[in-house]
Amino acid sequence: AYGYPTTALFRRAVTVSPLEAAETPVSAGGVTWSDLMPPTGRIINMIRLAFALARQNSPWPAVRASWSTQLLPFLPIVGVGGPAEDVPPKRVALSRDEVRDVERWAVEIEDNQCPALDIPTRRILSSLPEHGYWDDRLVDAVIAWEALLGATPETTFRLCAALARLLEPEDTDRRQESFAELKGIYDARSKVVHGKPYPPKRNSSVDTERSIAVGLEALRRLLRDRKDLLSIAASDKRGEALLLGK
């Protein structure tokens, strides 16, 4: 069930045609074979993100590449690399609808790939494995927020207000509730990165899972409803556009 959508994305994005390779000069002073190799790490992250976006609730599928190698014309296989993590990801069963959504999100991600998504994608994927430390996962997820809509000065207000508007574009009451929730998580995360104790009235596990859910939902909203914001290079300008109602 997993093979088709991921294979379709991989084949469309990775293939370098023989004609394209033949017409490109390869020499010590020009383009090298490495220049011709597609950005496989980025493509694998696109596939991993498609799986994560397809599921609405924790546990999210923390997909990873089992192995990788390079196939170069006229040369033997130069080696096989494995994943950096020793602990395998937790098994997550996807429903039929979720499997179909993997394909749908894979197409959306591929059609709208841009530099604005690179850092948020890497950080939100880093937050998914459940065997990681909760504070690392929380920090990674909130960095994904910042990479999407962060701004200075008044970072907390501007980021959380922009996120709340993205998540709740119509209902102002729910937007205010969302803003308060996001601000609480962001303030707690700030204590973590500055070496202070976690606020005793907050639940670190709940905040961690919620921060990841928010990051994934923000990516869904941008890819599905606000593609116009992805053309804005700077995160503060994207957040500003949301706050100004553009």
Side-chain angles (χ1 to χ4, degrees):
Y2 293 178
Y4 172 69
T6 56
T7 301
L9 170 63
F10 192 84
R11 285 178 176 170
R12 287 198 305 272
V14 171
T15 301
V16 177
S17 71
L19 180 61
E20 177 186 349
E23 291 180 346
T24 306
V26 179
S27 65
V31 177
T32 66
W33 283 118
S34 296
D35 296 322
L36 293 178
M37 295 301 295
T40 53
R42 186 181 188 190
I43 293 163
I44 289 169
N45 279 346
M46 290 162 60
I47 295 169
R48 296 173 64 202
L49 181 61
F51 274 91
L53 295 181
R55 190 174 181 88
Q56 296 293 325
N57 301 303
S58 175
W60 293 279
V63 179
R64 67 178 184 180
S66 297
W67 59 272
S68 63
T69 189
Q70 293 184 357
L71 302 177
L72 301 176
F74 315 116
L75 293 176
I77 294 176
V78 295
V80 175
E85 302 173 27
D86 295 327
V87 182
K90 181 179 180 180
R91 287 183 176 271
V92 176
L94 300 183
S95 68
R96 291 182 181 273
D97 288 341
E98 288 172 334
V99 171
R100 283 192 289 268
D101 282 344
V102 171
E103 181 175 8
R104 180 172 65 85
W105 283 115
V107 172
E108 287 284 0
I109 294 165
E110 183 184 8
D111 289 346
N112 296 283
Q113 58 178 305
C114 61
L117 292 177
D118 287 347
I119 294 177
T121 295
R122 292 199 304 270
R123 287 298 186 167
I124 205 69
L125 291 175
S126 295
S127 72
L128 295 182
E130 294 188 347
H131 61 264
Y133 293 107
W134 69 265
D135 48 357
D136 286 342
R137 299 175 67 213
L138 173 65
V139 169
D140 278 333
V142 175
I143 288 176
W145 299 6
E146 294 172 326
L148 285 173
L149 301 171
T152 54
E154 299 180 349
T155 301
T156 303
F157 173 80
R158 293 172 64 182
L159 170 61
C160 296
L163 261 178
R165 187 171 184 86
L166 178 65
L167 300 177
E168 301 293 346
E170 305 296 337
D171 191 322
T172 55
D173 289 337
R174 291 184 63 179
R175 190 185 308 156
Q176 290 177 344
E177 293 173 2
S178 180
F179 173 78
E181 178 193 32
L182 297 172
K183 185 177 181 299
I185 294 173
Y186 193 85
D187 288 343
R189 173 265 193 179
S190 296
K191 292 186 181 299
V192 170
V193 298
H194 290 100
K196 297 179 180 179
Y198 207 75
K201 293 184 179 181
R202 302 193 65 88
N203 186 309
S204 59
S205 297
V206 171
D207 284 350
T208 298
E209 297 303 318
R210 182 58 183 152
S211 67
I212 297 168
V214 167
L216 290 170
E217 184 59 23
L219 286 165
R220 291 189 195 99
R221 295 296 178 100
L222 289 170
L223 287 164
R224 184 180 59 217
D225 306 324
R226 296 303 309 268
K227 295 181 177 69
D228 56 302
L229 295 175
L230 296 177
S231 63
I232 302 175
S235 63
D236 59 336
K237 297 300 181 183
R238 289 193 292 272
E240 184 178 288
L242 273 168
L243 291 177
L244 294 176
K246 295 182 180 179

